[in-house]
Amino acid sequence: MQLHCGRFRLDLDTPKVMGIINVTPDSFSDGGQFNQVDFAVAHALALIEQGAAVLDIGGESTRPNAVPVPLAEELQRVIPVIEALVARDIPVPISIDTYKPEVMRAAIAAGASIVNDVRGLQEPGALEAVVNSDAGVCVMHMQGTPQTMQLEPHYDDVVAEVKQFLRMQRDACLAAGIAHERIMLDPGFGFGKTRAHNIALAKALPQLLELNCPLLVGLSRKSVLGQMTGNDVDARLHASVAAAVISAMQGARLLRVHDVKATVEALKVVAALQ
Ligand code: 8Y4
């Protein structure tokens, strides 16, 4: 099983790790643009060293209650980082974490190979931005918006509804001309979901696999792991690795994580023992 993404062919026969690079002012200490690019590039190179198979670069926090970032600001944050990494000819595809079509287009032009869209290509122009490229895409489910999603998540049947959304967006991608090999799906843990919703979805990964696309799972450090362990965000490493291992054993092919080295090692064991 391969994901076609730009000039890359990502081998997903064994589960791989997507390392998270946040390029937001709160993700480093001092505000200068030069420092921010430098910091993000150094972090990216370290994550490749640790075994990341993909780097996910995001310029807008999608945490609950996060303030939306204007387009120009988001471009200014992420594009110089992508350019700097492409100039270094890094051996892994770059994923752009955005729902804005303008950011998708600029990132792809700068050399990004995957679009990671937490809004599942619902923004006007987002599907077209991917169609008119050779980028891979991750379609994620979210109920509501980052501003409102955790207020009162409600589903009659969370697994059925998330699966139906992913099926619809997958079919829209295929109908628009995006090859099957370019598409990944993601239930969107924590995005408009209660603890019970997240747990139901985590147990239902085999049902989502029936959609015949590789599954991406992002549980790293998320609050559902805090609810299970009582630990706050800086002490969720072990819970995150456990979540990645179980997700991989249930069929997830790409794990979006902060702690790359620990997760890569754990997934090597999963691959060897499965
Ligand atoms: C601590 C650390 C607490 C991180 C919360 C968070 C996903 C994603 C995000 C995901 C895909 C996050 C961009 C939320 N989560 N993309 N993005 N799947 N495809 N929160 O699950 O990491 S951001």
Side-chain angles (χ1 to χ4, degrees), residues 20 56 62-63 97 116 118 138 140 186 188-189 191 216-223 233 236 256 258:
I20 300 171
D56 190 41
T62 30
R63 290 188 191 191
D97 157 20
N116 176 28
V118 298
C138 179
M140 199 195 81
D186 184 337
F189 287 104
F191 286 86
L216 191 159
V217 161
L219 277 163
S220 183
R221 298 186 190 175
K222 283 187 179 170
S223 64
V233 65
R236 295 179 187 162
R256 181 181 179 276
H258 302 84

Side-chain angles (χ1 to χ4, degrees), residues 142-156:
M142 165 163 54
Q143 184 177 85
T145 68
Q147 286 69 52
T148 63
M149 63 188 183
Q150 289 308 109
L151 292 181
E152 221 167 83
H154 172 83
Y155 303 82
D156 291 323

